Amino acid sequence: MHPDNIKLILDEYLTLNNTQYAILLNGSWGSGKTFFWKDTLINVVEEKRLRPIYLSLNGIRSIDALQQQLFIKLLPVIGKHENKIFKHATTITTNFLNKASKALIKIDFSDIFKGVSLDALNFDKIVICFDDLERCQIPFKELLGFINEFVEHKNLKCLILADEDKIKEIEKNKSIGYNSIKEKIIGRVLNYEPDLETIIPHFFNRYNENREYFSFLKNHQEYFLLLLEEFEEKNLRIISFILQNLNKIIPETLSLEESYQKEIILFTVIISIEFKKGKLTSNQYQDYGELDNMLSYSYSIMDSITKDTNWEDNQDEKTKNTIKEEDDLPTRVYKLYLRNRITEYHFYPCIYSYILSGYFDQNLFKKDIDSRVPKESKPIRDLQQLTNYNFRKLDNTIFLRLYENVLENAENGIYSIYEYERLADFYFFFSEMKLTSLTEKEISNKLFKGVNKAAKRKELNDHAYRSMERFKQGKERTKEIRNEIFRLHEGIKLSNQKVESNLLTSLIQSVQISEMKELFKKNKYNEEFLFQIDVKEIFNVLISSDNEVIYEFNQNLIERYNYANPGSYIRKDISFLKKLKDSIISYLENNDNGMGNLQRLNLSELETNVKTWIEKLAKTEFSV
């Protein structure tokens, strides 16, 4: 139920005369029921000119102890016309407590409260909130009976905060009939769902004295809320823990690009949640459990998911994300958090160890950042100083110097190819605003020349490329340079892949069995790996090798296709396999007496397998 509706129901309840029931506010541990009472519902009570009393039942073991606690809470609100005995006891108690606190006297409350009854108190102007019902040690039937005396016979306005699921889990409550007992006292059960959009700013305000961190949180509030909603995380204790962790980490990240800051937020949120839920423990602070290899590991996870859920039947996302008891940690993390964000995930060893151990190694974190973010040279610093919206603050002389230096560096191919769209955007703007005499066409020619020079270094940055891909449309005026960057990226990728693919032929020729196995493993889900190979060349090398090489080559291919839907990832392998099949058939037909029996057996088995794999790839060729 939305918090605003709860406020209205409570307001109506407080307005009614002679009520004989309590209201139960139900919500899971950490959902913020207590925060909601103290931050919001108390105001509703006070607006009715009623006195709110809050009492946690956590750990209270007897009715006597409860009466004593309640009596102490009621001391400040006792009115003038209360029972004389009660007032006298109040005076004695107050004086005794003051003396006891000064003299460090041990207090025996049972002696103080002799002859004092709560029945003497008028509850007309009081609203009592009993919190932590499920954590009370008093037998449930006895506890509710005690509260009912005041609710039914004194018309006390009473709000009870509880987690009903926890109450129902307690064995003794099952046997006594929880629901039937509850119905005698509870008039309404209001299921509380925290409104994070309202609550999160309150949490952020706790850090308003730390201006840099507070500003960081405000700037990333929308992203933070998006993650919490996506991960279905509403436990305020966990959210508070996440913010505490970020408070330690963020000062070292303020100079980073936003994409890296979000990457750090995502990782911190995931590890914090898993730690607070007990899925990660302190003694694992140096055991990464494959979380540092999630990008490549995710492909095998996806395979196991598709096998378990019959992907072809198009189950909904909730079915695919169902956590199973046998799921290992990487599978759990992938299903809960990374199915749609795997390309945004990066493992930070220092953050992981800090969340699990509580110790933050600042130097180690700087090393993590240095290894993640490319180092800045003077050309890069000039680029960043010029191509941001604060360029308007620059001195004219400095602006012109930066303008000329950066454009010269860009034309000479100094920058990464992925920087050229940003360069185009700013330099086209400079031209439009008459900050330069160059036309857009002249600027475009320089940038096209530079980006093609930069591409010759064959430097790939998948992080930058994925960031560009998320916003494929871009701005219309930078569309041409953007498309050129995409074209160059794919060209570099294919060129680099060609080198990797050619390595396979070399390893077969030099009989490096273990290295061949590692190469296949590394490229298991890479559809360019076999696609780039010259089949005729590799087959000639293969048939010139001994039987062990042919056998191991076959085994590596078996491993490559041994999962549910290879066509979704390596559909291009069909081309390679068809050419390989034709080569094997031709060789077997034309070399009847030119080979040993074992070679013929190995090639025949390879041919049979190739036909099976072609069918499997074709059958599973669909988009995930």
Side-chain angles (χ1 to χ4, degrees):
M1 182 180 293
H2 193 277
D4 287 345
N5 295 335
I6 293 174
K7 284 171 58 181
L8 290 173
I9 292 170
L10 179 64
D11 183 90
E12 181 182 320
Y13 169 68
L14 298 178
T15 305
L16 295 173
N17 295 322
N18 300 321
T19 55
Q20 295 182 311
Y21 64 89
I23 288 179
L24 177 68
L25 187 64
N26 176 48
S28 60
W29 284 359
S31 62
K33 301 183 297 296
T34 307
F35 176 84
F36 184 48
W37 160 258
K38 293 180 178 179
D39 180 71
T40 303
L41 297 184
I42 270 187
N43 297 330
V44 177
V45 173
E46 291 177 341
E47 283 170 6
K48 296 292 182 184
R49 297 187 178 181
L50 300 173
R51 298 294 297 270
I53 301 293
Y54 172 83
L55 177 60
S56 173
L57 299 169
N58 186 14
I60 296 180
R61 297 178 176 274
S62 68
I63 292 297
D64 285 345
L66 175 56
Q67 288 193 90
Q68 290 167 11
Q69 291 295 320
L70 188 54
F71 179 78
I72 291 170
K73 292 285 185 179
L74 290 169
L75 283 177
V77 300
I78 294 170
K80 318 183 193 183
H81 306 296
E82 305 300 335
N83 181 284
K84 288 182 181 179
I85 296 174
F86 196 93
K87 285 176 67 182
H88 179 63
T90 301
T91 305
I92 293 172
T93 303
T94 305
N95 292 336
F96 189 77
L97 287 173
N98 288 335
K99 290 178 182 178
S101 63
K102 291 175 183 176
L104 301 177
I105 300 171
K106 186 177 179 182
I107 303 169
D108 187 346
F109 282 100
S110 60
D111 292 337
I112 296 173
F113 291 110
K114 280 180 182 177
V116 177
S117 170
L118 290 174
D119 289 338
L121 184 62
N122 185 346
F123 289 93
D124 288 349
K125 298 295 181 182
I126 294 172
V127 177
I128 299 180
C129 174
F130 290 106
D131 197 0
D132 302 310
L133 181 67
E134 68 278 3
R135 296 181 180 181
C136 188
Q137 302 298 308
I138 303 172
F140 188 72
K141 188 173 183 179
E142 188 179 346
L143 171 64
L144 287 191
F146 171 79
I147 296 174
N148 189 53
E149 281 296 314
F150 302 100
V151 170
E152 185 176 352
H153 302 297
K154 293 284 188 178
N155 305 122
L156 169 69
K157 295 289 192 294
C158 179
L159 181 67
I160 301 173
L161 311 186
D163 181 347
E164 280 204 296
D165 288 341
K166 297 294 182 186
I167 295 173
K168 292 172 182 177
E169 286 174 5
I170 301 171
E171 283 299 323
K172 59 185 178 183
N173 290 339
K174 294 178 183 177
S175 61
I176 63 172
Y178 164 74
N179 286 327
S180 59
I181 295 172
K182 181 188 75 172
E183 286 174 4
K184 294 177 182 177
I185 180 173
I186 305 299
R188 287 187 181 277
V189 176
L190 309 179
N191 293 307
Y192 175 67
E193 287 287 336
D195 179 12
L196 293 184
E197 285 193 24
T198 303
I199 293 173
I200 290 300
H202 285 281
F203 275 52
F204 286 2
N205 285 335
R206 295 174 181 176
Y207 301 96
N208 60 5
E209 292 184 5
N210 183 345
R211 293 181 61 186
E212 285 188 334
Y213 181 49
F214 181 67
S215 176
F216 176 90
L217 291 176
K218 296 294 284 184
N219 289 337
H220 291 89
Q221 179 172 322
E222 187 177 341
Y223 180 69
F224 189 67
L225 283 168
L226 179 66
L227 292 182
L228 295 177
E229 181 182 354
E230 191 174 307
F231 301 158
E232 298 182 4
E233 187 53 67
K234 295 184 177 181
N235 188 303
L236 299 192
R237 293 186 182 95
I238 292 178
I239 293 171
S240 179
F241 180 67
I242 294 169
L243 293 175
Q244 289 171 28
N245 292 331
L246 286 172
N247 186 30
K248 191 77 172 180
I249 297 163
I250 291 309
E252 306 296 330
T253 72
L254 294 175
S255 62
L256 299 180
E257 291 180 15
E258 185 179 14
S259 61
Y260 290 110
Q261 291 177 341
K262 286 185 174 180
E263 188 178 86
I264 288 168
I265 293 172
L266 173 67
F267 183 74
T268 304
V269 168
I270 291 171
I271 302 303
S272 297
I273 293 173
E274 288 297 285
F275 178 70
K276 291 301 282 185
K277 290 188 174 179
K279 304 304 178 182
L280 289 168
T281 58
S282 296
N283 59 6
Q284 292 176 277
Y285 76 99
Q286 289 181 316
D287 177 10
Y288 303 151
E290 292 291 347
L291 293 179
D292 57 334
N293 195 30
M294 282 297 295
L295 189 57
S296 57
Y297 197 80
S298 65
Y299 293 109
S300 59
I301 294 172
M302 175 60 73
D303 175 39
S304 67
I305 292 172
T306 55
K307 282 180 178 176
D308 289 343
T309 60
N310 295 320
W311 190 278
E312 294 83 356
D313 294 338
N314 295 318
Q315 270 93 345
D316 58 46
E317 286 299 308
K318 194 167 185 180
T319 302
K320 295 169 191 172
N321 286 339
T322 301
I323 302 299
K324 298 187 175 182
E325 195 173 329
E326 64 270 20
D327 284 342
D328 58 14
L329 180 63
T331 303
R332 172 186 169 83
V333 168
Y334 180 81
K335 285 182 176 180
L336 289 179
Y337 314 105
L338 297 178
R339 179 184 288 278
N340 299 315
R341 292 189 179 275
I342 188 64
T343 58
E344 301 168 43
Y345 175 86
H346 180 76
F347 185 85
Y348 288 89
C350 180
I351 296 176
Y352 178 86
S353 298
Y354 163 58
I355 292 172
L356 270 59
S357 70
Y359 173 69
F360 184 69
D361 189 330
Q362 201 169 30
N363 292 327
L364 178 59
F365 186 55
K366 286 179 180 177
K367 288 180 182 178
D368 287 352
I369 294 296
D370 287 343
S371 65
R372 178 60 178 154
V373 183
K375 286 186 170 41
E376 293 181 5
S377 59
K378 185 179 183 304
I380 294 294
R381 287 195 298 272
D382 287 350
L383 172 69
Q384 292 183 344
Q385 191 176 3
L386 181 67
T387 56
N388 73 75
Y389 293 100
N390 288 326
F391 76 84
R392 294 170 176 82
K393 298 179 182 179
L394 294 171
D395 177 82
N396 284 334
T397 305
I398 294 175
F399 172 78
L400 289 172
R401 176 179 60 79
L402 288 172
Y403 174 91
E404 291 171 359
N405 288 350
V406 170
L407 187 57
E408 181 181 355
N409 289 333
E411 187 174 8
N412 290 329
I414 299 296
Y415 300 117
S416 161
I417 63 171
Y418 310 98
E419 298 286 4
Y420 279 78
E421 183 182 19
R422 177 157 63 124
L423 281 162
D425 191 21
F426 273 89
Y427 273 86
F428 290 165
F429 178 77
F430 296 155
S431 176
E432 181 185 346
M433 295 294 105
K434 308 299 182 187
L435 299 178
T436 172
S437 60
L438 293 176
T439 65
E440 280 197 14
K441 183 64 177 174
E442 289 170 326
I443 292 169
S444 184
N445 288 339
K446 289 177 179 291
L447 295 180
F448 265 84
K449 179 181 176 183
V451 75
N452 279 275
K453 279 187 178 180
K456 290 179 181 178
R457 293 196 301 274
K458 297 187 177 180
E459 296 171 350
L460 285 176
N461 185 332
D462 285 329
H463 177 80
Y465 180 70
R466 288 195 300 269
S467 295
M468 290 180 70
E469 266 201 322
R470 285 190 207 110
F471 307 98
K472 284 187 177 179
Q473 297 304 316
K475 295 183 178 179
E476 186 61 31
R477 67 182 178 186
T478 61
K479 186 177 180 180
E480 288 185 8
I481 193 76
R482 181 186 185 82
N483 289 339
E484 183 69 0
I485 293 169
F486 284 158
R487 186 187 70 79
L488 291 169
H489 173 90
E490 292 299 330
I492 296 168
K493 187 176 178 182
L494 288 175
S495 176
N496 291 350
Q497 183 59 62
K498 190 80 173 174
V499 174
E500 185 107 325
S501 299
N502 289 339
L503 178 60
L504 178 59
T505 304
S506 175
L507 293 176
I508 292 173
Q509 195 166 27
S510 55
V511 197
Q512 297 185 57
I513 303 296
S514 59
E515 288 83 355
M516 178 173 65
K517 185 175 182 179
E518 284 303 310
L519 187 64
F520 265 102
K521 184 177 179 181
K522 176 184 174 184
N523 290 280
K524 181 170 182 178
Y525 302 99
N526 182 354
E527 68 174 355
E528 299 294 338
F529 176 52
L530 295 180
F531 184 75
Q532 296 295 322
I533 287 176
D534 184 328
V535 178
K536 185 176 179 180
E537 181 183 359
I538 198 171
F539 184 73
N540 287 334
V541 171
L542 196 63
I543 59 176
S544 301
S545 305
D546 58 28
N547 289 325
E548 181 185 10
V549 174
I550 300 173
Y551 174 80
E552 291 297 339
F553 179 77
N554 191 6
Q555 294 303 307
N556 283 314
L557 287 177
I558 289 173
E559 181 64 27
R560 183 171 176 82
Y561 307 115
N562 186 29
Y563 60 103
N565 57 327
S568 297
Y569 300 100
I570 49 177
R571 58 180 62 83
K572 286 186 176 181
D573 277 25
I574 291 178
S575 173
F576 168 83
L577 291 171
K578 285 181 176 178
K579 292 175 185 176
L580 181 61
K581 181 193 70 172
D582 292 342
S583 296
I584 296 171
I585 292 172
S586 175
Y587 183 75
L588 290 175
E589 288 177 352
N590 298 316
N591 292 274
D592 193 35
N593 299 316
M595 71 184 86
N597 290 335
L598 278 180
Q599 187 188 48
R600 175 174 289 280
L601 173 64
N602 284 326
L603 289 173
S604 296
E605 288 179 347
L606 180 58
E607 178 196 352
T608 301
N609 288 338
V610 167
K611 290 176 181 177
T612 303
W613 298 326
I614 291 171
E615 291 177 5
K616 188 174 185 180
L617 285 167
K619 184 179 179 182
T620 60
E621 187 177 353
F622 61 90
S623 178
V624 179

